[in-house]
Amino acid sequence: MPEQKILKFPNGFFWGAANSAHQVEGGNVNDWTEWEKANAQRLAREAEDKWEPWQQEKFPEMFDPQNYISGRACDHYNRFEEDFDIAKSLGQNAHRFSIEWSRIEPEKGKFSHEAVEHYRRVLLALRERGLEPFVTMWHWTNPLWIRDLGGVEDKNFPCHFAYYAKYLVEQLGSLVRFWFTLNEPTSIIVNSYQEGNWPPQKKSFFAVQAVYKRLAEAHNLAYDKIHKIDPAASVGIANILNYFKPQNINSGLDKIARNFASHYSNERFLNLTKNKHDFLTAQYYFYNIIKFPSRINNKAEINSDLGWGIRPEGLYYILKDLKKYNLPIYVTENGLADAQDSRRKEFIRGHLKWIHKAMEEGVDVRGYFYWSLLDNFEWDKGFWPRFGLVKVDYQTLERTVRPSALEYAKICRENFLEI
């Protein structure tokens, strides 16, 4: 029998999970809630063509228009203390969440004291339980007034966002050490403005270029304003990074396609925000095999309920590539849809094994956040994909800790992985 090996993580390593406001809070009024109502019927109709037969059989709720309406979601807005008690019971010492801009500034220049005090209670609840808050300012949703001005494509978006960021830090900065200005800017660029699947469903090369510029400028302005108020704050972007591999390593064309995809997906935004990061992040879901000119295949031997291939080694290569920036790194999202909880345990263990290998080779990784703490509303896919360490019954809102969460809890408490 082979001898077991202990992979020890550094003292002070952050172990946590993540959620975003729109996906769990419930009761939001923003550009996404309006889009959901207008598109729920269409999304339910299109499910038959979009998803494979095994997915349709396993998740028939995808044909119900109500699946695509966020509604009360997990009611986390009212039940956050219960949810943080669960996170603490699972041995976690950090939690990543987002603040909903539409609650804070429902009208241009008019801020809600009630909303600020709510998020103050959220932050205090985390700190009382020994959970370090990692706070995202913008997780894709916009107040309706921002939408009506043109959304993130509007030339004034960076200034509006920086003003909001400044206000948050003035009000809540004493309780927050780690700020993320933006969540996955390239996800919005691709899904909203290149593919036209998400609001505002605008397929335009010129819009893609404009949004790259607007979001980068928004981060840069906010970064400076945050540091002017709190020089000790640690500020970055929660950034999705994909691994790309040419299908044929001897094909020059496949390599060109790989390099092009990697630049626009991973590197361009970092270049546009150069020197405006106190740390870097990796949000890893996709290991893509590319054949010229653009065919992408992310299937693997084992796949999630969404059909996304599970290939943990891709995260290792991403982390190794980030080493050149000489900044601390946090893995701020990494998870899978797995309703039966049959793959999540090994998913977590496999990714942590490759993270540790990168750390052994000098990569300064300081935390890992599984996505997500709770089952949640998965944007244009609705409620059927189940990412949570904690199962949520959307009828009763009962929370049930999944077995994989207990395995992750053991790692969090012991600060090592046994393989």
Side-chain angles (χ1 to χ4, degrees):
M1 186 173 180
E3 184 177 346
Q4 290 185 310
K5 184 178 179 182
I6 300 296
L7 303 182
K8 185 83 171 80
F9 287 81
N11 293 334
F13 193 83
F14 286 114
W15 296 103
N19 281 125
S20 84
H22 187 72
Q23 294 176 271
V24 297
E25 282 185 347
N28 281 306
V29 179
N30 56 43
D31 59 342
W32 266 91
T33 57
E34 298 300 295
W35 184 83
E36 292 162 16
K37 295 169 188 174
N39 288 274
Q41 294 282 349
R42 175 183 63 81
L43 292 169
R45 287 196 308 271
E46 292 176 356
E48 187 172 358
D49 296 325
K50 184 174 183 179
W51 303 106
E52 297 181 18
W54 68 267
Q55 293 166 312
Q56 296 177 29
E57 181 179 354
K58 190 174 181 180
F59 303 103
E61 58 266 42
M62 68 173 62
F63 298 109
D64 181 359
Q66 286 302 310
N67 172 73
Y68 303 96
I69 304 291
S70 57
R72 65 178 180 172
C74 306
D75 195 31
H76 177 73
Y77 192 84
N78 297 306
R79 303 176 68 145
F80 62 89
E81 290 183 303
E82 174 188 355
D83 295 333
F84 296 161
D85 284 340
I86 294 172
K88 180 182 178 182
S89 76
L90 294 175
Q92 297 173 22
N93 61 8
H95 182 73
R96 177 176 168 238
F97 75 100
S98 72
I99 291 176
E100 176 61 32
W101 186 359
S102 65
R103 292 188 189 273
I104 297 292
E105 192 181 5
E107 297 180 55
K108 181 181 177 182
K110 295 183 179 180
F111 294 96
S112 168
H113 176 74
E114 180 183 355
V116 170
E117 290 309 305
H118 168 79
Y119 287 112
R120 191 185 310 279
R121 291 193 298 273
V122 169
L123 290 164
L124 287 170
L126 287 169
R127 293 221 166 271
E128 288 166 0
R129 291 160 176 79
L131 297 165
E132 181 73 33
F134 283 66
V135 182
T136 308
M137 295 175 163
W138 181 82
H139 200 119
W140 301 349
T141 56
N142 296 304
L144 295 179
W145 63 269
I146 284 285
R147 179 202 64 183
D148 294 342
L149 290 173
V152 295
E153 194 180 353
D154 177 57
K155 65 179 181 180
N156 293 315
F157 177 84
C159 293
H160 295 313
F161 177 76
Y163 188 59
Y164 156 68
K166 176 177 178 288
Y167 181 80
L168 282 187
V169 178
E170 288 172 341
Q171 298 297 314
L172 301 172
S174 63
L175 294 170
V176 182
R177 184 160 49 126
F178 296 96
W179 293 101
F180 305 93
T181 55
L182 308 174
N183 178 75
E184 295 186 5
T186 53
S187 290
I188 287 293
I189 290 167
V190 171
N191 288 288
S192 295
Y193 294 93
Q194 180 176 309
E195 302 296 334
N197 294 324
W198 293 355
Q201 290 184 279
K202 184 175 182 179
K203 296 176 70 171
S204 164
F205 171 83
F206 298 103
V208 165
Q209 307 313 311
V211 174
Y212 259 116
K213 181 178 178 181
R214 303 288 184 257
L215 289 177
E217 186 180 352
H219 168 75
N220 292 341
L221 286 175
Y223 178 93
D224 289 340
K225 287 187 179 295
I226 294 169
H227 276 289
K228 188 173 182 179
I229 299 165
D230 183 4
S234 197
V235 184
I237 294 169
N239 207 15
I240 189 168
L241 298 174
N242 301 312
Y243 179 68
F244 298 96
K245 181 179 180 180
Q247 185 178 69
N248 181 353
I249 60 172
N250 296 315
S251 167
L253 290 176
D254 285 4
K255 288 181 180 178
I256 289 171
R258 185 274 313 273
N259 292 342
F260 180 85
S262 181
H263 173 74
Y264 278 93
S265 176
N266 296 349
E267 296 156 15
R268 186 181 180 191
F269 205 85
L270 285 175
N271 292 338
L272 290 171
T273 54
K274 189 176 180 180
N275 300 321
K276 303 289 185 180
H277 300 267
D278 300 319
F279 57 83
L280 297 177
T281 63
Q283 306 199 162
Y284 173 66
Y285 295 96
F286 300 113
Y287 183 116
N288 297 306
I289 308 297
I290 295 192
K291 178 176 175 58
F292 183 85
S294 61
R295 193 180 76 188
I296 295 178
N297 176 14
N298 67 351
K299 301 291 185 182
E301 290 184 11
I302 303 175
N303 301 287
S304 74
D305 288 344
L306 284 167
W308 300 353
I310 300 172
R311 304 185 73 154
E313 65 270 26
L315 180 53
Y316 163 80
Y317 296 117
I318 287 169
L319 294 173
K320 288 285 287 183
D321 189 57
L322 291 178
K323 185 176 184 291
K324 65 191 177 189
Y325 294 99
N326 197 33
L327 288 169
I329 300 167
Y330 299 90
V331 178
T332 44
E333 281 189 32
N334 175 231
L336 83 164
D338 179 18
Q340 294 180 332
D341 202 40
S342 61
R343 291 150 287 177
R344 190 172 287 106
K345 172 183 171 180
E346 290 307 317
F347 177 96
I348 293 171
R349 290 174 55 83
H351 283 85
L352 290 175
K353 175 183 172 182
W354 284 98
I355 289 171
H356 193 275
K357 177 175 171 59
M359 294 170 70
E360 286 183 317
E361 296 174 11
V363 182
D364 185 13
V365 182
R366 299 189 182 182
Y368 175 83
F369 294 78
Y370 176 82
W371 180 273
S372 56
L373 177 64
L374 304 170
D375 285 339
N376 57 60
F377 180 77
E378 190 58 30
W379 307 104
D380 63 331
K381 300 167 189 65
F383 287 107
W384 68 263
R386 299 281 187 152
F387 278 83
L389 293 169
V390 178
K391 178 182 177 180
V392 177
D393 183 322
Y394 292 118
Q395 299 303 313
T396 66
L397 297 179
E398 180 183 4
R399 274 80 161 140
T400 304
V401 173
R402 290 191 165 105
S404 59
L406 301 178
E407 176 68 20
Y408 181 45
K410 182 175 183 288
I411 297 168
C412 295
R413 293 191 188 100
E414 295 178 342
N415 204 38
F416 66 75
L417 174 67
E418 191 173 356
I419 61 170

